[in-house]
Amino acid sequence: MNAPAHIGLIGLAVMGRNLALNLSDHGFTVAVYNRTAARTDEFVSGAGAGARLIAAYSLPELVARLAPPRRILLMVRAGQAVDEAIAGLLPLLEPGDVIIDGGNSHYADTIRRTREIEAQGLLYVGAGISGGEEGARHGPSIMPGGSADAWPLVRPLLQAIAARLDDGTPCCDWVGPDGSGHFVKMVHNGIEYGDMQLIAETYDLLRRGLGLSPEALQETFAAWNRGRLDSYLIAITADIMGRREDGAFVLDQIVDSAGQKGTGRWTAEAALALNVPLSLAAEAVFARFLSTLVDDRRRAASILAGPDPTLEQDPAVVADLEEALYASKLISYAQGFMLLRRAAAAHSWNLDYGGIALLWRQGCIIRAAFLDRVHAAFRRDPDLPSLALDPSFADELTRAQGGWRRTVARAAAAGLPAPACAAALAFYDGYRSGRLPANLIQAQRDYFGAHLYERVGGPRGRLFHTDWSGVGTTSAFGEGPP
């Protein structure tokens, strides 16, 4: 194959391989390179045989195979490996060439790399890609951001391989500057953590609390997937519930210790840095940490007492669980979009929240019918501060309250942990409270540290200090702290 390749791809692990084949399926010639030459040979002569692939065995050879302006997609491990790949490419590239990072890089690294690479006359794209192996092969959700001048150069390729809505719209569109694409992907992953934890808590209440059989579990999740919980994660949960091997329920044979690659933790860390109450995703991260304490938990089970975990055998309990799962999921998305809005303000990103919902509608792990309504909510009000305030969703939260509250109460009474569901309800109650007990916290802070406080009815920003112990003076200050 002598014609120049349309794009170069570095990194031939599963995601890189499948994206290369996806690009080939759509008529693009791909020059592929892997640091281990044997992996390149194995791919082009095996799964890639007959595809529009060109094997390259060095970075100079890869670059030489590309038509200018060169477009190179990095599918390597986040962190140092990305910086090393960029360092190897920079001396070989020319102004106007584009480097695309398709891995799960931290958005702060993408902000830095965009600045550094643009300073050398090159273009940089941080493209969040979601959908796993299947998505990479047949159509992922792609969230590109970075150098705006790169978008016309990469758009034909990325949109061609992306998942599509029913009307043919690709689940790939420009997100915004520097690290915005990777930030949106990170928030996607934080919501994914929350969704998975909520489903796991629901499964636990159904399995341990109600004693449902694998067949009944599969039927329950399959039924939910035909309604408002229609989503990829609910669908695969139903499949998992039905899987047996040698007559045994496979799920019962899996050690209850959840792994993670860190993106959920990054989301929680970003929320802490930006002062956003992303409580549900944070609880999901903590729940995974707790799950890894397998030996400690086994010991504690024989020492620490708790109630009988059996729930009342009433069909209404299952109906309440569905209400709680849906309402908690809605809160999880509301918190995720609150984080996106706060990040947009902090980094001067003009994010299209309705458009982001459509990017997640197909191809990605959190794809769900529910996202059509999220898109519609932000189209009705682009400045909506929270999905919980959209009239349609607010009405659903109101109607779900009974089952939601009963579910959290039943879980607590039975000693069955449901931290994500409980956190969602606590956020809902806190968010709808016109007055919270934070006034006491401010009084305590002023008592022991003279941290000052604002007074009800006064102008915001005017601060006061009270001589609580009688050894100082009571003071009032002007706008802002003294």
Side-chain angles (χ1 to χ4, degrees):
M1 199 176 285
N2 296 319
H6 297 96
I7 187 170
L9 189 148
I10 297 175
L12 293 176
V14 174
M15 288 289 289
R17 291 176 177 224
N18 284 353
L19 286 170
L21 294 174
N22 192 348
L23 285 159
S24 173
D25 289 345
H26 287 86
F28 299 108
T29 300
V30 187
V32 296
Y33 166 76
N34 195 80
R35 188 170 56 181
T36 305
R39 176 169 284 186
T40 304
D41 286 334
E42 184 271 330
F43 175 53
V44 298
S45 63
R52 302 169 63 92
L53 305 176
I54 300 174
Y57 296 95
S58 68
L59 292 181
E61 182 182 1
L62 178 80
V63 172
R65 294 284 193 176
L66 302 175
R70 301 169 184 87
R71 296 163 292 189
I72 300 175
L73 174 60
L74 307 181
M75 293 303 300
V76 299
R77 186 182 298 274
Q80 183 178 350
V82 177
D83 287 320
E84 290 175 352
I86 292 171
L89 286 170
L90 288 180
L92 307 173
L93 300 179
E94 299 175 351
D97 290 345
V98 185
I99 299 174
I100 311 160
D101 176 11
N104 267 333
S105 288
H106 192 278
Y107 76 96
D109 288 336
T110 305
I111 292 174
R112 168 180 59 82
R113 290 167 185 150
T114 303
R115 181 178 62 248
E116 293 171 352
I117 288 170
E118 287 181 344
Q120 301 195 42
L122 303 174
L123 303 172
Y124 193 70
V125 175
I129 300 177
S130 177
E133 300 174 21
E134 179 184 351
R137 182 66 185 87
H138 300 292
S141 166
I142 308 178
M143 296 150 263
S147 306
D149 289 345
W151 181 227
L153 303 177
V154 303
R155 179 176 182 169
L157 293 94
L158 298 184
Q159 289 194 335
I161 65 171
R164 294 185 177 273
L165 303 179
D166 291 341
D167 65 2
T169 301
C171 293
C172 170
D173 205 353
W174 192 247
V175 173
D178 48 65
S180 58
H182 273 140
F183 193 94
V184 169
K185 172 57 173 19
M186 180 192 74
V187 173
H188 163 285
N189 284 20
I191 293 173
E192 176 186 314
Y193 271 57
D195 272 1
M196 294 173 72
Q197 177 63 27
L198 288 169
I199 295 169
E201 291 173 10
T202 305
Y203 149 73
D204 196 32
L205 289 163
L206 290 169
R207 181 69 167 162
R208 279 205 293 164
L210 290 175
L212 264 60
S213 67
E215 292 77 15
L217 288 168
Q218 182 181 36
E219 181 180 335
T220 298
F221 281 101
W224 287 350
N225 195 51
R226 293 189 291 270
R228 59 183 175 174
L229 286 169
D230 175 10
S231 64
Y232 173 73
L233 285 171
I234 293 291
I236 67 169
T237 299
D239 287 346
I240 290 167
M241 296 302 165
R243 180 58 62 90
R244 290 179 178 272
E245 289 181 2
D246 299 324
F249 187 32
V250 173
L251 195 53
D252 285 345
Q253 314 308 313
I254 299 175
V255 174
D256 58 328
S257 176
Q260 58 181 306
K261 292 185 177 179
T263 52
R265 186 183 71 246
W266 289 351
T267 313
E269 289 170 349
L272 289 169
L274 292 168
N275 302 322
V276 177
L278 194 86
S279 53
L280 197 150
E283 286 292 351
V285 174
F286 293 143
R288 291 199 189 190
F289 291 161
L290 180 61
S291 76
T292 65
L293 305 178
V294 176
D295 292 338
D296 286 0
R297 290 190 293 108
R298 300 290 184 269
R299 183 183 179 191
S302 65
I303 298 173
L304 303 179
D308 180 353
T310 303
L311 299 179
E312 56 186 308
Q313 298 297 309
D314 185 339
V317 175
V318 177
D320 284 351
L321 278 167
E322 194 268 347
E323 294 278 17
L325 179 55
Y326 180 77
S328 299
K329 176 187 179 75
L330 201 164
I331 292 297
S332 180
Y333 280 73
Q335 291 181 348
F337 277 95
M338 289 171 70
L339 177 56
L340 288 173
R341 187 174 293 281
R342 188 68 61 86
H347 297 286
S348 299
W349 297 334
N350 184 24
L351 299 183
D352 178 355
Y353 306 107
I356 289 169
L358 290 187
L359 295 184
W360 295 343
R361 180 63 182 87
Q362 295 292 346
C364 67
I365 303 303
I366 65 171
R367 59 186 183 266
F370 163 88
L371 285 159
D372 287 333
R373 297 184 56 218
V374 174
H375 168 259
F378 283 115
R379 285 294 177 262
R380 284 191 293 272
D381 182 2
D383 297 322
L384 186 67
S386 170
L387 284 172
L389 299 182
D390 174 77
S392 173
F393 287 133
D395 184 58
E396 286 193 318
L397 288 170
T398 298
R399 293 199 308 269
Q401 276 191 72
W404 195 6
R405 294 184 189 284
R406 286 190 293 271
T407 294
V408 172
R410 286 187 186 108
L416 293 170
C421 186
L425 182 57
F427 171 87
Y428 174 79
D429 284 335
Y431 193 62
R432 68 180 184 81
S433 294
R435 186 168 176 84
L436 290 169
N439 55 329
L440 175 57
I441 294 172
Q442 281 302 92
Q444 292 169 331
R445 294 178 72 244
D446 190 56
Y447 192 114
F448 64 69
H451 291 296
L452 313 182
Y453 59 86
E454 296 174 292
R455 282 188 175 168
V456 175
R460 295 302 305 269
R462 189 178 187 201
L463 302 177
F464 295 82
H465 168 64
T466 292
D467 177 19
W468 302 95
S469 60
V471 297
T473 59
T474 295
S475 310
F477 304 94
E479 299 298 316

